[in-house]
Amino acid sequence: MVLATDTQKKLAENWFKDLRNQICAAFEDLENSQISGPNSNVPPGKFELSKTKRDGGSGGGGLMSILRGGRIFEKVGVNISTVHGTLNPMMQKSMATRKNMVGIEENPIFWASGISLVAHMNSPKMPAVHMNTRMFWTPVASWFGGGTDLNPMIEVPEETAFFHDILKAGCDKHDLKYYPKFKKWADEYFMIKHWGETRGVGGVFFDDLNSGSWINDFNFTKEIGNAFMDAFIPLCEKNLNQEWTDADREIQLIKRGRYAEFNLVYDRGTHFGLQSGHDPSAVLMSLPPIAKWP
Amino acid sequence: MVLATDTQKKLAENWFKDLRNQICAAFEDLENSQISGPNSNVPPGKFELSKTKRDGGSGGGGLMSILRGGRIFEKVGVNISTVHGTLNPMMQKSMATRKNMVGIEENPIFWASGISLVAHMNSPKMPAVHMNTRMFWTPVASWFGGGTDLNPMIEVPEETAFFHDILKAGCDKHDLKYYPKFKKWADEYFMIKHWGETRGVGGVFFDDLNSGSWINDFNFTKEIGNAFMDAFIPLCEKNLNQEWTDADREIQLIKRGRYAEFNLVYDRGTHFGLQSGHDPSAVLMSLPPIAKWP
C-alpha cells in the first residue's frame, strides 16, 4: 500500500502531537512523585503552552510546552511544529549536492513536521536528555530524521548501558543494522570538536532515512519516540530520592555550559531553526536554565 | 620611514604585552578599592596566569590572565598571543576573494599577534566590556583589526554616551572618518541576528585596516587600547558603591546568556580560534561565569 503524500504528512503530524501529549503527561506524572531531598516541598510543575510561528505565521508554526522550576525538572521543553516554505539559497545549495536531491533548485519548497525535546533536571544525579524526530518533505525527496542522546552530569555506567539497551531493542525490531549505524552516528554527531569530547554518552542519531517504504520508516520513527520514554523515565524514577552535594551541582552547571556550547556552535537543528526564521525562543528552549563557565 | 616586517611584528607584539600589563595592573588596583555593598568583605582579586598553546605549541601561543571571584570583577580574562602557521583551506578560500589577498593560496602562511579582553562584573550596575586588537600578517597583505564594545546589564544613557565620546575623541585624533565608520561597523557586527537586537550598546569595530602607513595604523591600534581604559575604568569607579537587587542580578544573568549566544553563534574571533586549533580554554574565556536561560 502506498499512501498519498498528504496522508503521510497528516499521519506524521498527528503522531508528533500524540507523542507530545504522552510525554507531557508522563513528565507531569513524574512531577507528582513523592520525593525526599531539597525539592520535596516544591509544588509539582506543570507545562506552560505557547504557540510558535515561523516567518510570523505564514510559514506554519507549532506548540511550545515548557515546564520550569518543577520538583524533578528544572526546565524541560517539548516543541512540536509543522512548517513549510522555500528553502533559502544556502540550504538549496547544500541539498543539491546530495545524490537524491538533484533538481531541488527548480522548485525549492519544503514541508517539515517534528518534535523536539530537551530536559534539564534539578538533580545532578539525573541525566539531562534530548530527543527529536521529524519528517522532511521536498518535491524531489522525503525522509525521516532524529535521535536521542543521554547527558548524565556524573556518569553511571549501568544507566548508560540501560539507555543504550532499550534503544538497541527498539532499533533491532526494524533492522539489525540500525542500532550500530545510528549509535556511531550519534557518537560522531554529538562531539564537541574543540574540546575533543562528546556532550554526553550518546544514543542514536539518524537522518535522510528513506528505505523505500514510508510506512516502515514512519514506524521506526515512532519506535524511537517510544523507546526514548522507556529508556529515560526509569532513569528518573531510579534517582528520585538521591541526595546531592554542592560539588555535584557545580559539576552539573559546568557540564551544562558545555551543552550550550555544543548546541550553539555545532547543532544543525539549532542553526536550521535560527537561519530559517523560526521563533528563536522555541529554537533555544534547549539551552540550560542556568550554566557556568568558571 | 618604512620599518622592516620583523620590526613591525616585534613592535606590535611588545605593545600588546605592554597593554596587557597596564590593564591587569589597573584592574588589580580597582580590586583594591574600598567598596560598600554585598562584596565589601571579599578579598581583592588577583590575576592567575597560564601559558596557552596553538597546535600544541608548534604554532606559537600566549599568556592567559584570568581574575575570578574578585570584589569588582566576577570573571575577567585578558589574553595575549602571537601565533603563526598555515591558513586552513576554508580561511584561504575566504581570504582569496578579497581584492588585496590575490595569490594567498600560493603561500598560505600567516602570523598574528593580539590582545583580547572580556570582563564580567559582579554588579549588574557595572557594564560588561570587551576589547581586542591585533596585527595580522600574510605574505600578500597585513592589517590591523579590533574594537571594543560596552555591554551594560541595565543601560544608563549617560554612561553609553561617555563611552562613545572617549572612543570618538581617540578616533578623531587619527582620521575624522574613523569613528562614524567603525561605530557603524560595531552596530552591525555585534547584532544577535536571531533576536534582532545588539548584544550591548556598541563601540567601535574595525578590520582589514591598512591605510598604507603601518606606523599610523599601529598608532591608531594603540589609541584604541588606551581609549578603552579611559572609557571603561571611570564607569567602574562611578558605580563602585551602587546597590543592586535580586531582580537586577536576574536581568544580568539573562543578558549574559544572550552574550554567550552571540559569542558562540556569530563571533568571528571565537570561530577563528576554535577552528584554528588554539587552546579552547583561552578562546572561551569570554564566556560568562554564570548565565541563565530561564
Side-chain angles (χ1 to χ4, degrees), chain A residues 68 75 194-195 253 257 260-261 264-266 271 274 278-281 284 287-294, chain B residues 68 75 194-195 253 257 260-261 264-266 271 274 278-281 284 287-294:
Chain A
R68 295 179 176 89
K75 178 182 170 191
H194 53 271
W195 290 114
L253 297 183
E261 286 175 39
L264 293 170
V265 178
Y266 301 110
H271 289 180
L274 295 181
H278 201 63
D279 193 328
S281 60
L284 298 177
L287 295 174
I290 181 164
K292 280 192 175 184
W293 286 273
Chain B
R68 295 179 175 88
K75 178 182 170 191
H194 53 271
W195 290 115
L253 297 182
E261 286 175 38
L264 293 169
V265 178
Y266 301 111
H271 289 180
L274 295 180
H278 200 64
D279 192 329
S281 61
L284 299 177
L287 295 174
I290 181 164
K292 279 192 174 183
W293 286 274

Side-chain angles (χ1 to χ4, degrees), chain A residues 68-262:
Chain A
R68 295 179 176 89
R71 184 177 278 192
I72 314 288
F73 294 96
E74 193 170 328
K75 178 182 170 191
V76 49
V78 186
N79 287 340
I80 50 171
S81 67
T82 299
V83 297
H84 55 88
T86 304
L87 295 164
N88 71 35
M90 205 166 61
M91 289 158 62
Q92 287 178 43
K93 209 174 158 185
S94 130
M95 287 187 177
T97 61
R98 299 192 204 171
K99 205 167 54 180
N100 62 341
M101 297 288 285
V102 173
I104 183 66
E105 286 151 309
E106 285 159 34
N107 186 19
I109 59 171
F110 77 99
W111 174 98
S113 184
I115 184 169
S116 173
L117 173 157
V118 174
H120 296 285
M121 318 306 283
N122 287 316
S123 168
K125 299 293 180 79
M126 280 191 206
V129 76
H130 145 265
M131 185 276 296
N132 94 83
T133 49
R134 64 194 163 275
M135 174 182 162
F136 206 98
W137 175 93
T138 71
V140 299
S142 80
W143 64 89
F144 287 93
T148 177
D149 75 306
L150 194 70
N151 297 266
M153 303 297 116
I154 299 151
E155 193 188 349
V156 180
E158 74 210 48
E159 296 186 3
T160 302
F162 174 81
F163 188 80
H164 279 279
D165 285 348
I166 300 283
L167 294 180
K168 181 175 186 304
C171 289
D172 285 355
K173 285 191 229 169
H174 297 263
D175 190 323
L176 290 175
K177 291 197 229 60
Y178 279 178
Y179 175 75
K181 181 176 173 184
F182 298 155
K183 177 191 185 302
K184 182 163 175 279
W185 203 341
D187 288 339
E188 289 161 4
Y189 181 79
F190 294 110
M191 178 62 72
I192 310 176
K193 293 187 192 77
H194 53 271
W195 290 114
E197 66 180 38
T198 56
R199 79 167 186 189
V201 296
V204 292
F205 181 93
F206 65 104
D207 206 354
D208 299 321
L209 182 69
N210 185 335
S211 66
S213 163
W214 183 88
I215 195 75
N216 285 358
D217 299 342
F218 178 50
N219 284 334
F220 174 70
T221 300
K222 290 165 77 172
E223 188 83 50
I224 292 296
N226 291 326
F228 156 74
M229 291 183 72
D230 293 343
F232 178 64
I233 290 175
L235 296 183
C236 297
E237 289 169 339
K238 172 174 179 276
N239 291 304
L240 279 179
N241 296 310
Q242 280 251 38
E243 303 284 322
W244 68 86
T245 64
D246 288 348
D248 296 332
R249 176 72 174 168
E250 190 73 8
I251 289 168
Q252 182 189 46
L253 297 183
I254 292 168
K255 194 87 183 156
R256 285 181 178 174
R258 297 278 168 103
Y259 194 94
E261 286 175 39
F262 177 84

Side-chain angles (χ1 to χ4, degrees), chain B residues 195-271:
Chain B
W195 290 115
E197 66 181 37
T198 56
R199 79 167 186 188
V201 296
V204 291
F205 181 93
F206 65 104
D207 206 354
D208 300 320
L209 182 68
N210 184 336
S211 66
S213 163
W214 183 88
I215 195 75
N216 285 357
D217 299 342
F218 179 50
N219 284 334
F220 173 70
T221 299
K222 289 165 78 173
E223 188 84 49
I224 293 297
N226 292 326
F228 156 74
M229 290 183 73
D230 293 344
F232 178 63
I233 291 175
L235 296 183
C236 296
E237 289 170 338
K238 171 173 180 277
N239 291 304
L240 279 179
N241 296 311
Q242 280 251 37
E243 303 283 324
W244 68 84
T245 64
D246 289 348
D248 295 332
R249 176 73 174 167
E250 190 72 10
I251 289 168
Q252 181 190 45
L253 297 182
I254 293 167
K255 193 88 182 158
R256 286 180 178 174
R258 297 279 168 102
Y259 194 94
E261 286 175 38
F262 177 83
N263 282 27
L264 293 169
V265 178
Y266 301 111
D267 186 57
R268 283 190 217 168
T270 302
H271 289 180

